[in-house]
Amino acid sequence: MKTYNFCYEIGPLQSVIDFTLFTHKQNILVQIFCGQDKKVLKYISETILSYLPHAICIGTTTDGEIYGESITTLRTVISISIFKRTHIKTAYVNNDDPFQCGVKIASDLITPNTKLLILFSDGTHMNAEEFLKGVESFNATVPICGGMAGDNGNFVQTYISSQNTLLNQGVVGVSLNSDVLKVTTDYKFDWKPIGLKHTITKVQNNRVYQIDDMKATYFYDKYLGSNFSQTEFPLILEKNGITMARAVIGKHEDGSLSYSGNLSEGDQVRIGFGDAQSLMRDPIEVLENLQSINVETFFIFSCMARRRFMPFLIKLGIGSFSKTAPTSGFFTYSEFYHQNEHHKLLNQTLTVVALSESHKDTLPIKNTGKEKKRKHTLYAKTIESLTHLIEQSASDYDKQSKRLEKQINYSNNLLASHRQFLQYTVHEMNSPLSIIMSNIELHEMEFEKSVYLENIEVAAKSIFSMYDDLSYLVRKDHIHYTRRKINLVDYVRSRIDFFAQVADKAKSMFVFETNYSDIYILFNDTKLQRIVDNNLTNAIKYTFENKKIVVTLYQEQDYCHFSIASHSRKIQKPEKIFEEYYREEVSQEGFGLGLNLVKRICKEENVKITLHSDEDITSFSYQFKVDNT
C-alpha cells in the first residue's frame, strides 16, 4: 500500500491534487480531515468523487489536522491510500439510538476477513460510549480506530461524511478487508490524576448530576473555578485495566455536565492534569506495538486537549511518525480504541494505527534526534515542578486525611494533628512556589516573554493567593498579629499591580481612584492583605469580559472607604454571601470561603462592610479608621 497526503486551504482542489496519479488505481481510500466548515468538506468530497468515482471517501470536521510532521488548524488534510490486496467498504448510519448505530454500521461493514474499522462519529450529539458498545455487541474482535468529530473547540456543531452524504449527527465508517493487510494499534495517555478521589453520586449515562453529593458545576467551581478548561482538566478513572479520561463537552442549566463518555454511580474519579515529563517522551520509543510490522502508513487520532495543552511537544511527537511512514489524522473530541476484545472511548489520548501490506521483514522505526526537544527542557521543567507541587501536596493531604479517618472515633487529639499537618504543608508550599515564580522571571529575562509562561505565572499567583488564605487560617489562633501604620494608598496600589496580569488574562482591567495621595491606617499587614486580595481576586473572577474593575480609596473626615466595583451578575441573597461555602443557585458568585474570612477579620478589627448589588454594578466597600497621629 501507499499513502499520499495533501493539505488544502483555498482555491480549486485540482491545484493541490494531481488526480491523474490515481485514475487507474483500484482500492482507493480517501480520508478528509476538515478544519474549515461543512461547505469545504462537501466541496472536497464531491470534487474527489467526480475525478475518482470508484474511490471510497469518508470525512470529518476537526479540532486540528495532522499532516506529516506538521499540525494545522483551519485547513483540510486529505489522505489518499492505495491498497493492492485490500477491499474497502463504506457505510453510514444516522440513528437517534447510539447503540443501534453501532450495531448497524458494524453489520454493514464487517466481513469474514475484516482487519480494521475506521469510524468517525459526530462530536456534539452522539453518546459515543453507547455507540461503541453497539459495535462490540456485533463483533468484539475486529480492531477499531477513529474518533469523534470536532468543530475547533466550539462544541456547537460537527459534521461527518461518507461518499457524497454529509451528516450533522450519526456515524460514518470504512472497513479494510484483506488476507494480507497487517494492522497494529497503540496509544499514549500522558495525563495523571491529581488531588483527592471523588465519587460520582448521581449520573445518567454521560450526564453527571452530582459529584460528592454536590452539583457537578459546583464541584468544578470549587476545585478549578467557574472558568475551568473543559478539555485540559478531565476526570480520570480506571476501567478494565485502562486508565481513561472523561472531558466535559457540555453544561446544562440544572448544574449537570455532559461528558464525552459514560460514567457510573460510585465511580471513583480524580481531576487530571497533563504530565509534562511523559509528554516529553518520544511516542515512537514508547509505543512498542507499532514496531511489530514494516509500517507503510500511520493514521493518528489524537485528543484536542493534547494539541492545546503543550503544542510544541505534540508537534515533536507527531514528527517522529512522519520520519518513518506517511502520516495523517486529526484532533478529535474523543478517540476510539480496541484492546483485549473491548472497544474503548478515550480522552486526552494519542491513538495510532499502523498499516502494511508488505511481506518484508520488520524495519526498525526511525528514532528522531533528541537535541530539538532539549530546547524546551526549562519550560517543561517549570510545568513539571508545578504539576509535582500540586500532586505531592494533594497526595500528602490525602494520606493524612485517611489516617485521620481511621482514628477520628478514638481520639479528638487527631484534630490537632490535622492542623499540624496543614501547617507543615503550608510551610513547605512556600519555597517551591517562590522557586517557580523566580524561574519564570529568569526565563523571561533570558528568552523574553512567552504566552505559556504568562499562563503559568497567572496560575502561580492564584495559588499564592490561596496559599496566603490557608496560611492565615491555620496560624491565626497561634500568632498575635501586631498592627503598624500603613499607607493604604500605596498598599492597595501594590496589590493591584500584583494581580494586574491575572486581570488581563481574564479580559478585564483595574482602574484605581483616590482623593488623597496618602491615607494612613493602623492595621496588621496579613489581615489587610486578606481583605484586599480576596476582593480583588473575586472581582477578577466574576467581572464580565472587557469590563473595568474600579478600585476606589477616599478619605472622609476620620474614615477611609475602600471600594471595589465591578460589572457582574446581581447577587440574589446578599445577606448570605459572606457565609462559609455559600454559593447562590442563580448567579455565578463563588463559594464565599474567602469572603467569610474577610468578614471575620472585619469583625475583629471593627471594619464596617457595605455591599451593593444591582443589575449593573456590584460593589464591596470597607470603612477603615484613619490614623491621624
Side-chain angles (χ1 to χ4, degrees):
M1 68 170 295
K2 189 170 184 180
T3 296
Y4 304 80
N5 295 318
F6 306 90
C7 186
Y8 172 84
E9 189 169 5
I10 58 174
L13 187 60
Q14 300 90 320
S15 64
V16 177
I17 302 175
D18 181 2
F19 288 104
T20 61
L21 294 174
F22 311 107
T23 303
H24 301 293
K25 301 292 186 181
Q26 300 297 318
N27 302 320
I28 303 174
L29 170 62
V30 180
Q31 296 179 80
I32 305 169
F33 308 117
C34 180
Q36 294 167 289
D37 55 33
K38 68 175 183 178
K39 292 181 180 179
V40 175
L41 178 57
K42 183 177 179 61
Y43 163 72
I44 293 177
S45 299
E46 292 177 347
T47 303
I48 289 173
L49 291 172
S50 69
Y51 282 92
L52 305 173
H54 56 295
I56 299 298
C57 181
I58 61 172
T60 177
T61 52
T62 73
D63 188 62
E65 308 80 48
I66 297 166
Y67 175 55
E69 63 179 10
S70 301
I71 291 173
T72 69
T73 56
L74 304 177
R75 297 184 182 179
T76 298
V77 171
I78 301 149
S79 175
I80 302 178
S81 299
I82 310 299
F83 294 88
K84 292 182 178 179
R85 288 166 290 177
T86 297
H87 176 67
I88 310 164
K89 292 181 64 177
T90 185
Y92 68 88
V93 181
N94 186 5
N95 190 316
D96 290 336
D97 186 330
F99 184 88
Q100 292 304 320
C101 268
V103 174
K104 180 68 167 74
I105 202 159
S107 64
D108 288 345
L109 292 178
I110 293 176
T111 69
N113 65 344
T114 297
K115 293 297 189 294
L116 179 70
L117 294 181
I118 303 175
L119 303 170
F120 304 151
S121 79
D122 77 81
T124 48
H125 303 286
M126 176 68 71
N127 183 326
E129 188 150 6
E130 291 299 312
F131 160 68
L132 293 183
K133 287 180 180 179
V135 177
E136 185 177 309
S137 71
F138 184 85
N139 187 307
T141 62
V142 174
I144 64 168
C145 66
M148 301 181 74
D151 63 347
N152 297 304
N154 294 313
F155 295 97
V156 175
Q157 184 62 67
T158 62
Y159 296 91
I160 49 179
S161 66
S162 173
Q163 299 302 88
N164 282 321
T165 301
L166 186 70
L167 302 174
N168 61 10
Q169 63 182 60
V171 63
V172 301
V174 297
S175 61
L176 303 183
N177 309 287
S178 175
D179 295 324
V180 300
L181 182 66
K182 300 180 183 67
V183 178
T184 184
T185 63
D186 215 331
Y187 77 103
K188 192 168 182 279
F189 185 49
D190 301 323
W191 252 249
K192 63 166 60 176
I194 58 175
L196 305 176
K197 285 186 177 179
H198 305 278
T199 304
I200 303 297
T201 47
K202 185 178 180 182
V203 61
Q204 184 175 4
N205 295 324
N206 68 328
R207 186 164 176 174
V208 175
Y209 294 88
Q210 292 184 355
I211 305 174
D212 288 346
D213 294 317
M214 71 177 78
K215 286 188 176 182
T217 52
Y218 296 177
F219 170 83
Y220 279 90
D221 287 351
K222 178 179 180 180
Y223 289 100
L224 296 174
S226 58
N227 294 319
F228 69 93
S229 170
Q230 294 186 189
T231 56
E232 294 173 19
F233 298 93
L235 298 182
I236 293 182
L237 69 161
E238 184 174 312
K239 284 189 176 182
N240 298 319
I242 294 182
T243 300
M244 60 183 69
R246 292 289 177 260
V248 175
I249 61 173
K251 297 181 181 180
H252 305 283
E253 292 183 358
D254 61 359
S256 63
L257 299 172
S258 289
Y259 287 80
S260 53
N262 287 355
L263 291 157
S264 302
E265 189 171 312
D267 277 348
Q268 296 289 300
V269 299
R270 295 170 73 186
I271 295 173
F273 187 71
D275 182 350
Q277 186 175 14
S278 180
L279 280 163
M280 289 180 65
R281 297 182 65 189
D282 190 331
I284 287 293
E285 297 177 0
V286 176
L287 304 179
E288 298 179 354
N289 288 352
L290 304 180
Q291 310 199 26
S292 62
I293 65 173
N294 180 19
V295 182
E296 294 179 314
T297 293
F298 285 120
F299 295 138
I300 297 178
F301 307 101
S302 180
C303 181
M304 64 176 293
R306 300 175 70 87
R307 179 180 72 79
R308 293 167 179 264
F309 184 68
M310 279 193 184
F312 70 85
L313 287 182
I314 301 306
K315 183 177 180 179
L316 290 175
I318 297 299
S320 298
F321 294 103
S322 63
K323 302 296 183 183
T324 300
T327 301
S328 62
F330 77 105
F331 289 90
T332 75
Y333 282 176
S334 286
E335 305 78 61
F336 304 155
Y337 191 72
H338 175 84
Q339 187 178 64
N340 300 327
E341 297 194 356
H342 286 288
H343 297 334
K344 299 295 181 183
L345 182 70
L346 305 180
N347 289 131
Q348 327 301 114
T349 307
L350 173 78
T351 64
V352 186
V353 179
L355 301 179
S356 177
E357 289 183 314
S358 173
H359 290 296
K360 295 180 181 179
D361 294 335
T362 302
L363 297 176
I365 292 180
K366 297 177 183 178
N367 185 19
T368 58
K370 297 180 181 179
E371 293 301 322
K372 194 174 181 181
K373 290 188 179 182
R374 291 198 180 107
K375 296 179 182 178
H376 305 285
T377 299
L378 292 176
Y379 168 75
K381 281 186 176 180
T382 303
I383 290 284
E384 186 179 347
S385 296
L386 182 59
T387 305
H388 184 75
L389 166 67
I390 298 171
E391 183 183 33
Q392 190 59 48
S393 298
S395 175
D396 290 346
Y397 184 87
D398 192 21
K399 291 176 183 178
Q400 179 71 1
S401 295
K402 288 179 180 178
R403 289 197 292 268
L404 290 173
E405 285 178 14
K406 292 179 180 179
Q407 301 174 31
I408 191 68
N409 294 328
Y410 303 96
S411 175
N412 290 330
N413 291 333
L414 289 180
L415 293 174
S417 176
H418 188 217
R419 178 175 292 276
Q420 184 178 6
F421 164 74
L422 288 175
Q423 289 173 336
Y424 168 79
T425 302
V426 169
H427 176 74
E428 292 298 313
M429 284 176 66
N430 186 48
S431 293
L433 277 172
S434 298
I435 291 171
I436 289 171
M437 291 296 290
S438 62
N439 275 274
I440 290 172
E441 293 175 0
L442 291 171
H443 187 279
E444 289 181 347
M445 289 172 62
E446 185 173 357
F447 299 102
E448 298 183 350
K449 285 189 175 294
S450 161
V451 65
Y452 307 108
L453 286 179
E454 287 180 356
N455 289 337
I456 296 170
E457 186 174 1
V458 168
K461 286 184 176 180
S462 297
I463 296 175
F464 257 121
S465 181
M466 291 185 288
Y467 161 80
D468 288 336
D469 276 349
L470 185 59
S471 177
Y472 176 82
L473 284 170
V474 299
R475 299 171 61 190
K476 66 182 180 66
D477 296 329
H478 305 279
I479 294 178
H480 176 67
Y481 289 96
T482 59
R483 300 177 182 178
R484 72 175 183 88
K485 195 170 184 178
I486 299 174
N487 186 337
L488 192 56
V489 176
D490 290 342
Y491 188 92
V492 171
R493 184 180 285 116
S494 69
R495 301 315 295 166
I496 289 174
D497 290 342
F498 181 82
F499 288 109
Q501 189 179 23
V502 182
D504 182 64
K505 286 293 180 182
K507 297 183 179 179
S508 60
M509 63 175 292
F510 290 113
V511 175
F512 182 46
E513 300 174 352
T514 180
N515 64 341
Y516 283 86
S517 59
D518 300 295
I519 302 174
Y520 290 94
I521 63 172
L522 192 65
F523 219 84
N524 175 263
D525 295 78
T526 301
K527 290 186 175 182
L528 182 59
Q529 184 177 344
R530 302 282 44 81
I531 295 174
V532 175
D533 284 11
N534 273 294
N535 279 275
L536 293 179
T537 54
N538 277 348
I540 293 171
K541 284 182 185 178
Y542 303 120
T543 298
F544 298 142
E545 288 187 1
N546 301 314
K547 294 293 185 179
K548 296 178 181 178
I549 301 169
V550 179
V551 182
T552 304
L553 276 177
Y554 68 93
Q555 182 176 342
E556 189 176 58
Q557 296 181 355
D558 293 332
Y559 291 94
C560 172
H561 300 272
F562 166 57
S563 175
I564 303 95
S566 60
H567 297 272
S568 57
R569 295 186 180 179
K570 180 181 179 180
I571 298 175
Q572 301 298 317
K573 296 182 179 180
E575 72 278 5
K576 291 189 174 183
I577 199 65
F578 289 93
E579 292 181 9
E580 192 172 14
Y581 297 119
Y582 171 74
R583 177 183 168 84
E584 297 204 333
E585 292 287 333
V586 178
S587 76
Q588 294 293 325
E589 300 299 328
F591 284 92
L593 181 59
L595 287 179
N596 179 260
L597 177 60
V598 168
K599 181 180 180 181
R600 281 192 275 173
I601 292 173
C602 290
K603 184 177 181 180
E604 294 168 1
E605 301 297 331
N606 296 316
V607 175
K608 182 181 178 181
I609 303 173
T610 303
L611 168 62
H612 170 79
S613 185
D614 58 27
E615 300 297 337
D616 296 318
I617 295 292
T618 292
S619 65
F620 289 81
S621 298
Y622 301 85
Q623 180 178 285
F624 294 86
K625 176 74 173 177
V626 174
D627 183 10
N628 292 317
T629 61

